[in-house]
Amino acid sequence: QNYLDNFWPDLKAAHELFDSIVQARHERESESQENHGKEYPEHLPLEVLEAGIKSGRYLQGALNVNKHRAQLEAFVRLQGFGSKDTG
C-alpha cells in the first residue's frame, strides 16, 4: 500500500487490484477461522463419518490420483485390502 501511495498515487487500476487482493485475503482468513484452520469445510461431521465407517455404511481408504491424467483417472485403495487379500 505504501509503495503504491508513494510511487504510483495516480495509478487507479493498481490501487483497485491491491484493494481486491486485500479483501480476498481477509475473506479467506475469516473462512479459515470459521473452519478451524482447514482450507475446506468438512462435508459431514467427524462423528458421523466415524460411525458410518464403523457400521460399514462408509469405506475408508487412500485416494490415488494419476499424476499424468489427474482430471480423468483416480481410485481409492481401501484400508485393510491389499493385493494379497482375496476377500
Side-chain angles (χ1 to χ4, degrees):
Q1 180 70 45
N2 291 337
Y3 174 80
L4 290 175
D5 291 340
N6 290 329
F7 295 102
W8 303 99
D10 299 327
L11 191 57
K12 185 178 178 182
H15 286 273
E16 290 174 357
L17 177 61
F18 179 79
D19 293 339
S20 174
I21 292 170
V22 169
Q23 181 177 351
R25 185 175 178 188
H26 287 306
E27 288 174 5
R28 189 171 194 183
E29 288 172 355
S30 67
E31 287 174 1
S32 178
Q33 289 174 354
E34 290 173 7
N35 296 325
H36 306 291
K38 298 175 185 169
E39 188 169 348
Y40 300 101
E42 297 176 359
H43 294 280
L44 293 173
L46 183 59
E47 302 82 37
V48 173
L49 290 174
E50 289 175 343
I53 291 169
K54 193 172 188 177
S55 71
R57 180 174 182 174
Y58 302 123
L59 301 174
Q60 183 176 6
L63 177 64
N64 294 284
V65 180
N66 182 326
K67 67 181 178 180
H68 302 290
R69 298 174 46 120
Q71 295 178 345
L72 302 174
E73 294 182 16
F75 66 94
V76 175
R77 186 180 312 269
L78 298 178
Q79 290 184 352
F81 291 92
S83 59
K84 297 180 182 177
D85 292 342
T86 58

